[in-house]
């Protein structure tokens, strides 16, 4: 079981890296936000899986915080994007 | 396994930092800073520093991102073109960096059990704190009891930050509330925010009072509770939030938290102990420690909540005002 | 116990697979709205599968409750965030691929007429 968990952790890490790449280089700013959001949700899964891998279920508290903050950050980005939209 | 994850995370962190340097769109930079905080929190998790990771995730990724976005709404999102020559700064940075790297050569090896940090006070905390304080989460024991003075100092610093921001910016109330405010178009967000916000506040209370047993405590709880109100302000508009928690009320709360903390110290002095010596708070020293820690954590939580929300009000009201004009 | 482990492994692997396909879709799909589609749908299913896989590893205690909370929270917020993002993009004047094509065509036609 540990092997599967470890493999899942690494695979989620790879997905996070891809999402990060999208956040680095994106055709539109919305794509960037999409990449950041995907990175956040995958991080939540990663923390949960790592917590089980290391036998430290305390980590789940942090996973919850990540989920909350990710959502709030997302809303904040959308809210302030209206203010700062460039005149293209 | 842990080393591999560490390496991957550190590589992502370095790449993010490099990308931040070369990006000109400040809006994207702020988002990448959020990712940067998330990544460093992940590294803290991997190092088993759960409480630090908690703080980094809630403060670094949550509140700072929101405040930086609010600042961008005031200043515009394009980086100014730098017209100065970058030779002298480069020289200064190189020299400083070389000095820092030279300094690290003297540092003890990473993870060595003989390092001074593991020899000095840590063994005493680990061996004695179960008998002296008896909390499962040793970080809370150290933070709230052994280092209660330091923590009081931190709370006062947070309080001073609020005073500074309010003195410089102030909170402007708009008289005509018919102005466009909040994400009015997003009906789905309105419904979901109404479901989410109570649970966020509930979770903040859990973090506040579960800090003795697991990761968390007053700092984190205050920030999470403030984040709930910030979500409300973002979705339903600032005037509605000002009606729920008025700035005057928050100023009272911020000072109340600091006073509660210091009051515990005074009570312990009245009972014949030193300042912030919780042993004297109850007949049984361990029970006294528990009372003291719960009360001062509550004080920390109240102050941090009020201060974070006040600072957000100050930034956000400026942003709304400047965008109306 | 053994069966639970196998089921949990299958769920985890399936979840990771969907997450991975979503990440690929983030790069491969032609325009923003299809990319939102790829990201949001796979995000939800990956969260459901991975967390269900982890749920089978717990022994019905506080951790189970926390995992269920995370699952419910992600199920509520992640589609909402995607929806709000797509709506903002639409509001901001981003066009779908089909619309962009017809628009370009119209512009080309106009140019030709001008010539």
């Amino acid at each position: 079981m540990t092997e599967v968990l470890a493999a899942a952790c690494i695979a989620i890490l790879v997905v996070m890296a891809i999402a990060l790449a999208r956040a680095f280089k994106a055709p539109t700013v919305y794509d960037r936000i999409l990449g950041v959001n995907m990175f956040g949700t995958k991080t939540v899964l990663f923390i949960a899986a790592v917590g089980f891998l290391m036998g430290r279920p305390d980590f789940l508290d942090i996973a919850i915080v990540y989920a909350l903050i990710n959502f709030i950050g997302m809303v904040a980005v959308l809210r302030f994007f209206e203010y700062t939209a460039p005149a293209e | 396994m842990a080393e591999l994850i560490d390496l991957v995370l550190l590589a992502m962190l370095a790449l993010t930092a490099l990308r931040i340097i070369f990006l000109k769109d400040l809006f994207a930079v702020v988002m990448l800073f959020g990712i940067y905080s998330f990544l460093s929190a992940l590294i803290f998790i991997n190092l088993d520093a759960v409480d630090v990771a908690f703080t980094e995730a809630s403060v670094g990724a949550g509140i700072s991102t929101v405040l930086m976005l609010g600042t961008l709404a005031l200043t515009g999102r394009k980086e100014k073109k730098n017209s100065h020559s970058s030779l002298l700064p480069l020289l200064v940075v190189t020299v400083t960096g070389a000095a820092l790297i030279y300094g690290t050569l003297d540092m003890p090896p990473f993870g060595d059990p003989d390092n001074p940090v593991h020899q000095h006070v840590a063994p005493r905390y680990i061996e004695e704190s179960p008998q002296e304080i008896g909390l499962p989460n040793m970080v809370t024991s150290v933070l709230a009891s052994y280092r209660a003075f330091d923590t009081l100092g931190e709370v006062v610093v947070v309080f001073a930050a609020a005073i500074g921001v309010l003195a410089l910016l102030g909170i402007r109330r708009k008289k005509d509330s018919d102005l466009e405010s909040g994400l009015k178009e997003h009906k789905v967000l309105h419904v979901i925010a109404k479901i989410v916000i109570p649970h966020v506040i509930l979770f903040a209370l859990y973090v506040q009072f579960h800090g003795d047993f697991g990761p968390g405590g007053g700092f984190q709880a205050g920030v999470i509770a403030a984040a709930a109100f910030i979500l409300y302000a973002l979705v339903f508009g600032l005037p509605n939030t000002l009606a729920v928690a008025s700035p005057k009320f928050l100023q009272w709360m911020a000072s109340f938290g600091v006073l509660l903390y210091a009051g515990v110290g005074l009570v312990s002095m009245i009972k014949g102990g030193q300042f912030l010596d919780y042993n004297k708070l109850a007949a049984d020293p361990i029970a006294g420690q528990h009372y003291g820690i719960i009360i001062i954590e509550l004080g920390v939580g109240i102050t941090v909540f009020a201060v974070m929300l006040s600072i957000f009000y100050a930034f956000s009201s400026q942003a709304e005002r400047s965008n109306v004009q | 116990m053994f069966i639970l482990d196998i089921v949990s492994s299958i769920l985890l692997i399936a979840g990771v697979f969907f997450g991975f396909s979503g990440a690929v879709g983030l790069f491969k799909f032609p325009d923003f709205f299809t990319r939102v589609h790829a990201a949001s749908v796979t995000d939800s299913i990956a969260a459901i599968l991975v967390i269900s896989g982890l749920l089978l590893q717990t022994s019905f205690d506080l951790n189970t409750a926390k995992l269920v909370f995370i699952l419910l929270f992600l199920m509520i917020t992640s589609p909402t965030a995607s929806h709000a993002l797509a709506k903002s993009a639409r509001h901001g004047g981003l066009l779908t691929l089909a619309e962009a094509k017809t628009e370009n065509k119209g512009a080309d036609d106009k140019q030709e007429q001008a010539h």
Side-chain angles (χ1 to χ4, degrees):
Chain A
M1 196 56 221
T2 329
E3 293 83 13
V4 179
L5 264 179
C9 283
I10 300 219
I12 297 176
L13 216 52
V14 172
V15 176
M16 279 163 61
I18 300 176
L20 196 62
R22 181 86 287 186
F24 281 174
K25 195 164 162 39
T28 67
V29 74
Y30 300 107
D31 279 292
R32 212 184 282 280
I33 302 175
L34 191 64
V36 173
N37 187 38
M38 189 174 192
F39 181 86
T41 47
K42 289 300 176 294
T43 314
V44 175
L45 300 183
F46 176 73
I47 298 176
V50 159
F52 277 88
L53 181 66
M54 295 189 172
R56 290 286 308 272
D58 284 3
F59 290 178
L60 286 178
D61 281 348
I62 302 180
I64 297 177
V65 173
Y66 262 67
L68 299 178
I69 295 295
N70 193 36
F71 180 61
I72 292 170
M74 183 77 187
V75 174
V77 164
L78 289 180
R79 175 86 170 87
F80 286 109
F81 184 67
E82 290 177 5
Y83 285 163
T84 59
E88 280 177 328
Chain B
M1 182 66 200
E3 277 101 49
L4 179 72
I5 294 178
D6 253 351
L7 274 180
V8 174
L9 290 176
L10 274 174
M12 283 196 206
L13 197 71
L15 283 176
T16 312
L18 280 175
R19 189 71 190 124
I20 287 172
I21 294 173
F22 289 111
L23 265 178
K24 290 285 175 224
D25 182 359
L26 294 178
F27 195 73
V29 166
V30 170
M31 280 193 281
L32 286 187
F33 263 126
I35 285 191
Y36 188 90
S37 290
F38 271 151
L39 279 171
S40 35
L42 275 181
I43 291 175
F44 290 138
I45 289 175
N46 220 17
L47 296 174
D48 233 344
V50 190
D51 288 79
V52 188
F54 219 119
T55 317
E56 179 66 37
S58 49
V59 180
I63 298 285
S64 329
T65 309
V66 173
L67 290 185
M68 281 197 278
L69 286 170
T71 316
L72 274 193
L74 288 173
T75 60
R77 56 180 279 202
K78 275 275 170 272
E79 192 175 325
K80 256 196 187 153
K81 198 118 182 79
N82 188 2
S83 53
H84 298 285
S85 146
S86 51
L87 217 62
L88 182 68
L90 183 71
L91 189 75
V92 171
V93 166
T94 318
V95 170
T96 319
L100 285 176
I101 290 173
Y102 178 70
T104 58
L105 294 181
D106 268 351
M107 293 231 299
F110 176 74
D112 190 355
D114 292 332
N115 284 351
V117 63
H118 301 304
Q119 299 295 325
H120 183 46
V121 285
R124 187 184 174 282
Y125 290 150
I126 292 169
E127 280 157 23
E128 307 281 319
S129 81
Q131 289 90 43
E132 283 181 352
I133 295 175
L135 288 184
N137 185 2
M138 233 166 261
V139 179
T140 304
S141 312
V142 173
L143 202 76
S145 183
Y146 291 111
R147 298 284 178 90
F149 266 124
D150 291 0
T151 311
L152 179 59
E154 283 172 38
V155 175
V156 173
V157 166
V158 170
F159 183 63
I163 294 177
V165 168
L166 291 182
L168 286 174
L169 291 178
I171 297 168
R172 288 162 206 275
R173 280 163 178 277
K174 277 206 302 276
K175 292 285 174 280
D176 38 353
S177 55
D178 56 350
L179 292 166
E180 176 77 17
S181 181
L183 293 161
K184 278 222 178 77
E185 298 290 317
H186 293 267
K187 292 276 185 283
V188 177
L189 259 181
H190 279 227
V191 176
I192 297 299
K194 276 182 193 159
I195 302 173
V196 165
I197 288 169
H199 293 98
V200 178
I201 295 176
L202 194 65
F203 181 66
L205 288 175
Y206 163 80
V207 171
Q208 170 81 50
F209 292 108
H210 197 260
D212 305 355
F213 304 98
F219 276 103
Q220 293 92 335
V223 170
I224 294 170
F229 279 76
I230 288 176
L231 179 61
Y232 186 78
L234 291 170
V235 177
F236 295 97
L238 196 59
N240 283 328
T241 322
L242 289 176
V244 176
S246 73
K248 246 311 160 279
F249 173 67
L250 288 182
Q251 284 160 24
W252 279 104
M253 266 177 86
S255 14
F256 173 72
V258 179
L259 281 179
L260 189 65
Y261 197 140
V264 173
L266 288 181
V267 169
S268 61
M269 276 173 87
I270 290 169
K271 293 230 173 181
Q274 306 265 323
F275 187 65
L276 290 174
D277 179 5
Y278 308 142
N279 283 343
K280 301 286 189 297
L281 286 179
D284 176 24
I286 292 191
Q289 289 282 352
H290 288 196
Y291 289 142
I293 288 176
I294 283 196
I295 295 172
I296 68 133
E297 287 275 12
L298 191 63
V300 172
I302 291 173
T303 300
V304 170
F305 163 72
V307 167
M308 291 299 165
L309 202 52
S310 301
I311 295 179
F312 172 75
Y313 279 175
F315 275 66
S316 180
S317 62
Q318 294 280 345
E320 294 211 346
R321 201 174 62 96
S322 75
N323 275 280
V324 164
Q325 285 171 355
Chain C
M1 208 62 220
F2 188 57
I3 298 176
L4 272 188
D5 271 358
I6 291 179
V7 174
S8 151
S9 307
I10 292 173
L11 286 174
L12 277 175
I13 292 169
V16 166
F17 168 75
F18 279 112
F20 197 75
S21 60
V24 173
L26 215 52
F27 275 90
K28 285 284 172 196
F29 278 12
D31 76 331
F32 171 72
F33 292 99
T34 50
R35 287 193 284 265
V36 168
H37 174 81
S40 67
V41 173
T42 55
D43 248 12
S44 305
I45 190 77
I48 294 171
L49 289 172
V50 169
I51 291 182
S52 315
L54 292 175
L55 268 176
L56 296 179
Q57 302 280 318
T58 60
S59 45
F60 281 98
D61 47 6
L62 188 60
N63 295 329
T64 319
K66 282 181 193 164
L67 274 177
V68 171
F69 183 78
I70 295 177
L71 181 59
L72 287 179
F73 195 84
L74 281 182
M75 295 267 308
I76 293 174
T77 58
S78 148
T80 312
S82 305
H83 165 81
L85 177 62
K87 193 170 168 121
S88 281
R90 192 71 195 162
H91 227 69
L94 211 63
L95 297 175
T96 63
L97 198 60
E99 284 170 344
K101 264 184 186 157
T102 50
E103 185 123 306
N104 275 345
K105 229 183 199 169
D108 289 345
D109 289 348
K110 267 181 204 160
Q111 274 182 356
E112 276 170 24
Q113 279 170 10
H115 280 293

